[in-house]
Amino acid sequence: MIYHIRIFLIAAFITGSLTACVTTPSDFEEPSLSVKSFTQKTSDSITPRFEIVLHITNPNRDPLELEGISYTIHLEGNKVMSGVANDLPTIEPYGEADVKLEASADLFGGFQLLTGLMNEHKEHIDYEFNAKLDIGAFKPMIRVNKKGQL
């Protein structure tokens, strides 16, 4: 009898664990993300600081509860900025919101970028913006990758 109860509890635990991992609905649509503004902030240190405002649109019927975000910005293949944030709003279903981030410049990456630009004359600069949005412990990370030219 105890053997059957143990089997039942183990099966219930496994079933519960598997269903908890699949909490994102199959019709979940990735939110859109765009850079709304990019400004330099005053800083007391040698490392420049920037404020980046992202505009996020939630095209889903469920609220988008952002737990955290991490991001990097590359110019010409050099990481020039990165940052994280955890004080983020909940974006209502079929809603949108602006998210303010603070980024610090990577001086080594900036130096490599300047060295490369001084050696070559370019009409455009390639950029890449990578972000990872955390929407909860049992939901998959949303990864955003934007590439283009300035």
Side-chain angles (χ1 to χ4, degrees):
M1 179 74 171
I2 293 177
Y3 177 75
H4 293 290
I5 293 173
R6 283 186 184 168
I7 297 275
F8 173 77
L9 291 175
I10 292 171
F13 176 77
I14 291 172
T15 303
S17 297
L18 290 175
T19 57
C21 293
V22 188
T23 57
T24 302
S26 62
D27 62 344
F28 181 80
E29 193 174 326
E30 191 169 289
S32 66
L33 184 142
S34 61
V35 178
K36 189 172 182 180
S37 69
F38 188 92
T39 55
Q40 185 171 4
K41 296 183 72 165
T42 56
S43 176
D44 295 337
S45 71
I46 191 169
T47 306
R49 307 257 328 144
F50 297 89
E51 180 181 86
I52 302 168
V53 178
L54 300 178
H55 187 75
I56 302 176
T57 303
N58 179 11
N60 298 290
R61 68 175 77 159
D62 296 320
L64 188 63
E65 297 175 5
L66 297 171
E67 303 261 336
I69 184 172
S70 64
Y71 55 92
T72 59
I73 299 171
H74 292 79
L75 297 175
E76 289 297 315
N78 300 293
K79 182 173 115 179
V80 295
M81 261 177 243
S82 62
V84 295
N86 63 3
D87 185 20
L88 303 168
T90 295
I91 303 172
E92 295 304 317
Y94 304 107
E96 50 193 338
D98 291 339
V99 175
K100 289 183 183 178
L101 307 173
E102 274 196 33
S104 58
D106 182 326
L107 291 179
F108 186 68
F111 180 72
Q112 287 179 318
L113 173 65
L114 288 175
T115 302
L117 292 175
M118 288 173 42
N119 291 334
E120 302 179 32
H121 175 69
K122 291 190 159 214
E123 292 186 24
H124 63 272
I125 296 175
D126 295 326
Y127 75 88
E128 183 174 359
F129 176 82
N130 296 304
K132 181 173 59 172
L133 294 113
D134 181 356
I135 58 171
F138 297 109
K139 296 181 181 176
M141 295 281 189
I142 298 172
R143 297 184 188 280
V144 177
N145 183 295
K146 302 265 185 189
K147 292 182 180 183
Q149 296 177 335
L150 303 172

